[in-house]
Amino acid sequence: MSKMDSPRQSRRNFLATGAGVAASVLARPALAGGGNPANQPPNVPEWTRSLGEGVAVRPYGKPSKFEKDVVRRDVEWLTASRESSVSFTPLHELEGIITPNGLCFERHHGGIAEIDPADHRLMIHGLVERPLILTLEELKRYPRVNRIHFMECAANSGMEWRGAQLNGCQFTHGMIHCVQYTGVSLRTLLEEAGVKTNGKWLLVEGADAAAMDRSLPIEKALDDCIIAYKMNGEALYPEQGYPMRLVVPGWQGNLWVKWLRRIKVGDQPWHTREETSKYTDLLPNGKARRFTWSMDAKSVITSPSPQAPIKHGKGFTIVSGLAWSGNGKVKRVDVSLDGGRNWWPARLDGPVLDKALTRFYYEFDWNGEPLLLQSRVQDETGYVQPSKAELRKIRGVNSIYHNNGIQTWHVQANGEVENVEVA
């Protein structure tokens, strides 16, 4: 690929190009976008000639039928059963930082538990002065908190450790979502129960068929964890843990136990299956790292990407992406068009929140030459997202979890995009 000199335009040129884009759109023939010419200017479209549906025809709103392809998707061969599998968030179709509830990725170990909240209870026991058993309605009487956080599966991008595998941003990086959670601070409940001085760890357990459980250090529990019963203003969806789940900001999703039914306080970790044979990082020397909870800083360009190719040809082009860090806020994001030879600062847009997704944009005038698109994030701790080569020097290629290496998309001259790696 030839060297690109200052691909980003000056503000004056940017505005001029933007105006040019608008003018060119208006000047296009009616058939340029496809569809039915009879509904396009100067004709009056068919939907203007009759009344539409009345109110309450759709008592619970749905996306337009023309957006039917914007859905979670899975990879059927990935796991042996559908009950212990994963679906992926369509990151390439979304903007902003909030994930709609119906598009938040799923990861289950024993299928979706359909729970009647009238029969569900949260129990807090073990090394506490006052064991608690709470109904959902009782939980809602405690002081509430609202926080926006990302939740990422530890295995997100895990299939990419040995090289580029799947051709889609959704399939490679879609085990992440970001919503506003409403619930009760876990600290409030633990203080109500009265944790004894030797209480150092929690065992959190779900009510699903897998009885998913993990050990959680009490320092994190008292810091920022939430028992959530709402997401984006509505009740949790069943696949997200209805009626209540644990929220562990910045830490891997396996700890965010859904359908939460029990919290036991103890003086040491339980060393369960989920933290011994699973969710450990196998190193080149055969040893495995354990209790690697925090999700390090990571970013990905969501568009253009394999499922979101460039269709408009050369000219004004918008690169859109997401960045996040389990250790705090995103400080900056840089974008490369040539596989990491040159980097240009991206524009952060919208709120930049602690342990939440951050949206970034990079606008440039594409000359139609092939690109090797990359993004690289730096968080407020100074941590810089590593290349995959840098990551493999330390971690090897036998791991599944915590792959936060830089992603490369190869944009071809015809606008199609492929998942690749550069040396």
Side-chain angles (χ1 to χ4, degrees):
M1 186 175 63
S2 63
K3 181 179 180 181
M4 296 184 180
D5 297 323
S6 302
R8 169 168 272 179
Q9 300 173 310
S10 68
R11 178 174 173 79
R12 176 174 297 179
N13 288 338
F14 170 80
L15 292 174
T17 304
V21 169
S24 65
V25 168
L26 291 175
R28 285 177 184 170
L31 288 175
N36 182 1
N39 287 327
Q40 298 169 4
N43 301 320
V44 176
E46 58 184 328
W47 47 83
T48 305
R49 300 173 184 169
S50 60
L51 296 175
E53 293 179 331
V55 297
V57 170
R58 306 172 194 186
Y60 200 98
K62 294 180 179 179
S64 164
K65 63 182 180 182
F66 301 106
E67 300 295 322
K68 60 181 175 56
D69 292 331
V70 183
V71 294
R72 293 182 290 227
R73 299 184 188 279
D74 65 343
V75 180
E76 292 190 14
W77 50 261
L78 196 60
T79 57
S81 74
R82 307 288 282 176
E83 292 80 10
S84 179
S85 191
V86 60
S87 66
F88 301 87
T89 299
L91 298 178
H92 61 291
E93 295 280 8
L94 305 179
E95 288 295 339
I97 67 170
I98 298 297
T99 311
N101 288 341
L103 295 178
C104 292
F105 83 96
E106 306 166 78
R107 172 72 173 105
H108 314 311
H109 295 251
I112 301 170
E114 288 283 0
I115 294 177
D116 183 345
D119 295 334
H120 187 74
R121 301 290 185 273
L122 172 62
M123 179 168 57
I124 300 178
H125 66 125
L127 297 177
V128 297
E129 301 291 345
R130 297 171 293 278
L132 301 175
I133 297 179
L134 302 170
T135 67
L136 176 62
E137 295 307 311
E138 289 170 335
L139 189 66
K140 291 180 178 178
R141 295 182 64 190
Y142 283 86
R144 300 176 184 179
V145 296
N146 289 281
R147 298 188 196 135
I148 297 174
H149 291 299
F150 78 83
M151 194 272 273
E152 182 181 19
C153 178
N156 198 21
S157 316
M159 287 177 284
E160 304 286 303
W161 270 106
R162 293 175 181 268
Q165 296 292 322
L166 297 177
N167 218 29
C169 180
Q170 181 173 13
F171 300 118
T172 54
H173 302 285
M175 284 196 282
I176 188 170
H177 55 67
C178 184
V179 307
Q180 183 182 61
Y181 293 98
T182 303
V184 180
S185 167
L186 181 51
R187 170 185 280 272
T188 299
L189 298 180
L190 292 176
E191 289 177 347
E192 173 84 2
V195 176
K196 295 181 179 179
T197 54
N198 57 338
K200 303 299 181 185
W201 287 80
L202 308 182
L203 178 72
V204 291
E205 181 183 88
D208 58 325
M212 253 296 300
D213 58 6
R214 285 297 304 262
S215 300
L216 181 71
I218 197 156
E219 291 84 1
K220 180 66 174 176
L222 295 173
D223 180 23
D224 57 2
C225 291
I226 304 168
I227 307 298
Y229 45 80
K230 299 275 188 179
M231 53 191 292
N232 292 336
E234 60 182 348
L236 297 177
Y237 281 21
E239 63 268 32
Q240 299 298 333
Y242 179 86
M244 60 183 73
R245 78 172 308 166
L246 182 63
V247 171
V248 190
W251 285 20
Q252 62 189 41
N254 181 251
L255 287 152
W256 299 44
V257 170
K258 297 182 284 191
W259 313 290
L260 184 66
R261 67 171 293 270
R262 185 165 76 103
I263 298 175
K264 183 177 182 179
V265 181
D267 58 0
Q268 57 185 327
W270 274 259
H271 306 292
T272 69
R273 174 182 180 275
E274 298 295 321
E275 51 208 29
T276 53
S277 67
K278 304 294 182 184
Y279 295 94
T280 61
D281 305 315
L282 186 58
L283 299 174
N285 62 6
K287 293 185 177 180
R289 302 191 308 171
R290 295 182 59 198
F291 297 135
T292 49
W293 300 297
S294 183
M295 302 305 293
D296 284 330
K298 186 174 177 179
S299 69
V300 64
I301 292 171
T302 55
S303 177
S305 63
Q307 294 166 285
I310 299 176
K311 297 180 178 179
H312 56 63
K314 62 183 180 181
F316 181 70
T317 301
I318 298 175
V319 172
S320 178
L322 291 166
W324 61 94
S325 173
N327 297 314
K329 296 179 180 178
V330 167
K331 181 179 180 180
R332 65 175 292 160
V333 177
D334 295 303
V335 168
S336 176
L337 306 179
D338 53 11
R341 293 179 181 175
N342 296 285
W343 292 95
W344 310 94
R347 175 171 59 88
L348 306 185
D349 192 274
V352 179
L353 304 173
D354 181 61
K355 303 178 183 68
L357 294 185
T358 297
R359 175 64 62 178
F360 67 85
Y361 293 108
Y362 180 80
E363 296 94 356
F364 73 109
D365 191 2
W366 183 39
N367 62 11
E369 292 183 357
L371 306 171
L372 291 172
L373 280 181
Q374 296 181 336
S375 63
R376 181 181 65 189
V377 62
Q378 179 178 353
D379 69 20
E380 63 180 350
T381 71
Y383 178 90
V384 178
Q385 182 181 5
S387 68
K388 289 185 179 179
E390 292 171 331
L391 203 57
R392 288 171 182 143
K393 284 182 181 178
I394 300 173
R395 301 278 307 283
V397 295
N398 293 321
S399 186
I400 300 173
Y401 308 111
H402 299 278
N403 183 349
N404 68 323
I406 291 173
Q407 172 67 50
T408 306
W409 303 126
H410 177 213
V411 181
Q412 303 174 45
N414 63 2
E416 293 181 357
V417 185
E418 185 179 7
N419 179 16
V420 300
E421 288 198 16
V422 294

